[in-house]
Amino acid sequence: MRTMPAFDRDDFSIPRDEYLYSGHSGCPGCGATLTMRHVLKAMGPRTVVVVCASCWTGIAGYFPTSSLKVPSVHCAFASAAATASGLKAALEMRGDDISVLAWAGDGGTLDIGLQGLSAAAERNDDILYICYDNEAYMNTGIQRSSATPLGAWTTTTPLGQDRPNKNIMDIMVAHGVPYAATVTIGFPSDLMRKVSKAKGIRGTRFIHALSPCPTGWRFAPHLTVKIARLAVESKAFPLYEVEQGEYIITHMPRDRSLKEYLELQGRFKDLTDDEVQGIQDNLERAWQRLMAKSRIATYATP
Amino acid sequence: MEKVMTGNSAVAYGVKLARAQVIPAYPITPQTTIVEHLAQMCATGELRARFINVESEYSAMAACIGAAVAGVRTFTATSSHGLAFMHELLHWASGARLPIVMANVNRALAVPWSLLAEHTDSLSQRDTGWLQIYCEDNQEVLDSILQAYYIAERVRLPCMVNLEGFYLSYISEPVHIPEQEQVDAFLPAHCPAYELDPDRPAAFFGATFEPTMLYRFRRDTHQGLEKALRVAREADEDFHRAFGRRYGLLEGYRLVDAQLVLVATGTSVSTARTAVDRLRDRGAKVGLLKLRLFRPLPADDIRSALRGVPKVAILDRSISLGAGGILCQELKSVLYRADGQCPAVFGLLAGLGGIDVTPDLICEIAERALRSEYPTEEPIWIEVNR
Ligand code: SF4
């Protein structure tokens, strides 16, 4: 194993083109909004975004406004994948080469929309599905989802989440999708590389985007990117991709302490040192399992 | 060309002639042979369409919605539990003003499990903003699919074509299959009002926090349904010109001098025709009103068909539990007049759970209604009380 330099260097230039207008209704420091902004820079203008019920229902603009410079199709909560599949089939019938991006939160992906997503992935429909994961139902006011990490406070886990979060990447990889990847806004060039790569692949592509949420995670809005980086560096959210079943770690964490990551967020403030240690042990085991099946690539940290 | 076929095959032929382009589908008895037939047509290239094997009716409707946004002709078929499972998206499809056409093969909902015909599945979706057509025989099924696209695309609203499980779905009758060129002339390629185009990006659907905005959307959709009455008439007239067959929004049968009019929908209509003939032969002044279009409800046509009729007996193969037969509730609200000049309305539950509604039963119902001045109970559980 090579040692990795300290920072995510922007050797991958980020286009100046913007497909997201300012003036959208995302909270200050919203990670989900930054994620969309960078995803669309990679996707380009010939993209349709299918948005299911989520914070993004509002961020995309209230009728008759839109914050997106690409067409968007809003859909019911559980229906992002199936709506995207139908739309893609229709565009193909029309003879149009337009990318369909299904965009859903963790609730819309890991919980209520999982069945439809599983079916689209099993059929290998030609869609890019991005789950922007803010680790709870934020649009309804911070309720637990199956993406909520162990120990996190939400309004429906007032004593802290008592189960580790569902591993959506393993679930999607088990479907045999041609491409799956984790990304986060703390590493924008890694994010854009993966989205660009996904764009060029046919079939169901899945991207799991950790999207820090100042409102729900209880941190100051200027910390979004820092927290996203700490999530990766503390192994809470490893960056990797799975291409045709082959795992590739795209950034080697620099072993920042988990405590540092958790302490910045109000949702973890009631954790005892023992509980933090327990979470860290869990994450370390998960990391070892991931390492055991991965090879290391360098493009996130050249 | 004439062919002997089931109601389900008649649906499939209608969809093929309409040149549906995206067909997401999920099996459920007694609908399954529709999607089997369409899957076959797509596989052989007989129909140039994308068939999507979805994992649920919910996803079938979601995929129809996604496809319809892109402006292509879409179709799916379902029944009872499948229709109920779609419920949320039925609202979505009409609110989004998408001309999706769906066949619903009427079947009772559990509990207890049953596979047999009942209209409660679709009638209980009456508030979702879908047009609803009810068919009497297999020819009408095929023809109604074509008319459904005609109407739906002109008013930008989804349309459900209903046929009863087993009575139509699996029973074969001779059906005339129109020529493709004639159908193409009747039903030209769909030109959507709003095109999904990355060069002119727009947001489809989405949210509002402005109550008056939502209020205006609802009013527009309601007016779309009102307009559908006129368009459905035009569809039927155009259809008649092209193919020589017509159905009307409703149909009166032997209404002259009628002292009692039976109101029915679906296959009970054919049976009721026979019963009315028998009753007339016996000197009883009984007529029949077939209701074909249930949403939008042709209220004025119903009122004028029943003007001056002292008694109306409604055969309901559906129930709104706690209220009575659904057609009966609807008809009563249409017939209500502030001046008290309303007919006596007998609400008869006949055929729930697929019970065979025979000519004898209908004669018995009619004769009983003729003897009574007004109904003493409602609903009347006809099969239980016999
Ligand atoms: S609640 Fe969180 S995810 Fe939702 S808009 Fe606000 S910051 Fe973004």
Side-chain angles (χ1 to χ4, degrees), chain A residues 26-27 30 32 55 59 134 138 213-215:
Chain A
C27 304
C30 172
C55 280
I59 302 169
N134 53 26
M138 295 312 183
C213 164
T215 310

Side-chain angles (χ1 to χ4, degrees), chain A residues 261-289:
Chain A
Y261 171 61
L262 300 182
E263 267 176 359
L264 286 173
Q265 305 171 51
R267 62 177 174 157
F268 294 114
K269 74 173 174 13
D270 292 333
L271 291 181
T272 62
D273 286 349
D274 282 352
E275 286 169 328
V276 171
Q277 190 57 51
I279 294 168
Q280 181 146 14
D281 293 346
N282 271 347
L283 293 175
E284 188 56 40
R285 277 193 295 273
W287 170 252
Q288 292 306 332
R289 282 196 300 272

Side-chain angles (χ1 to χ4, degrees), chain B residues 138-344:
Chain B
N138 293 351
Q139 183 70 59
E140 188 175 354
V141 167
L142 189 154
D143 295 349
S144 294
I145 293 285
L146 301 178
Q147 291 194 3
Y149 281 106
Y150 180 114
I151 307 165
E153 288 168 7
R154 278 169 174 75
V155 297
R156 287 189 283 125
L157 282 167
C159 184
M160 191 189 300
V161 176
N162 292 281
L163 59 151
E164 278 154 86
F166 293 83
Y167 292 123
L168 291 185
S169 69
Y170 294 154
I171 285 182
S172 296
E173 296 177 328
V175 172
H176 181 263
I177 306 171
E179 296 301 323
Q180 184 68 60
E181 304 80 70
Q182 277 181 292
V183 174
D184 291 345
F186 171 76
L187 193 67
H190 173 42
C191 300
Y194 302 100
E195 184 118 30
L196 190 147
D197 179 3
D199 293 330
R200 287 176 301 152
F204 285 77
F205 326 132
T208 177
F209 270 147
E210 162 85 75
T212 58
M213 188 79 84
L214 186 126
Y215 190 86
R216 274 183 281 162
F217 268 98
R218 288 291 173 278
R219 189 199 54 186
D220 285 354
T221 309
H222 180 73
Q223 287 174 345
L225 276 140
E226 287 180 333
K227 183 180 163 200
L229 280 176
R230 177 170 60 70
V231 175
R233 259 184 222 105
E234 288 165 9
D236 203 45
E237 281 158 24
D238 270 6
F239 194 86
H240 182 242
R241 268 194 292 278
F243 306 104
R245 291 184 296 276
R246 72 192 322 165
Y247 301 95
L249 311 188
L250 42 72
E251 179 201 331
Y253 182 68
R254 303 191 77 168
L255 290 180
V256 181
D257 303 336
Q259 293 302 297
L260 169 73
V261 172
L262 302 164
V263 180
T265 195
T267 56
S268 310
V269 173
S270 306
T271 320
R273 270 187 237 274
T274 309
V276 164
D277 288 345
R278 271 193 215 169
L279 289 158
R280 285 276 181 176
D281 288 348
R282 292 179 205 160
K285 291 184 172 167
V286 179
L288 168 67
L289 186 68
K290 163 186 173 173
L291 194 60
R292 176 166 178 260
L293 186 68
F294 173 74
R295 276 292 180 277
L297 194 64
D300 289 340
D301 301 35
I302 294 170
R303 274 191 287 266
S304 51
L306 297 177
R307 182 166 299 128
V309 172
K311 287 178 192 168
V312 175
I314 293 149
L315 305 179
D316 251 307
R317 185 161 251 161
S318 69
I319 184 164
S320 169
L321 295 164
I326 296 177
L327 280 188
C328 181
Q329 306 305 311
E330 294 273 329
L331 264 283
K332 273 186 171 176
S333 70
V334 166
L335 295 172
Y336 172 79
R337 282 176 50 167
D339 62 8
Q341 297 291 306
C342 314

Side-chain angles (χ1 to χ4, degrees), chain B residues 60-119:
Chain B
M61 187 45 61
C64 279
I65 288 170
V69 176
V72 306
R73 221 165 249 168
T74 62
F75 177 81
T76 192
T78 191
S79 178
S80 72
H81 286 264
L83 185 65
F85 195 23
M86 283 179 188
H87 175 78
E88 179 194 20
L89 299 179
L90 298 184
H91 283 278
W92 196 281
S94 65
R97 304 298 298 267
L98 297 171
I100 297 162
V101 171
M102 167 165 67
N104 177 57
V105 183
N106 295 110
R107 166 187 150 183
L109 280 125
V111 170
W113 283 116
S114 165
L115 300 174
L116 303 176
E118 197 175 293
H119 291 137

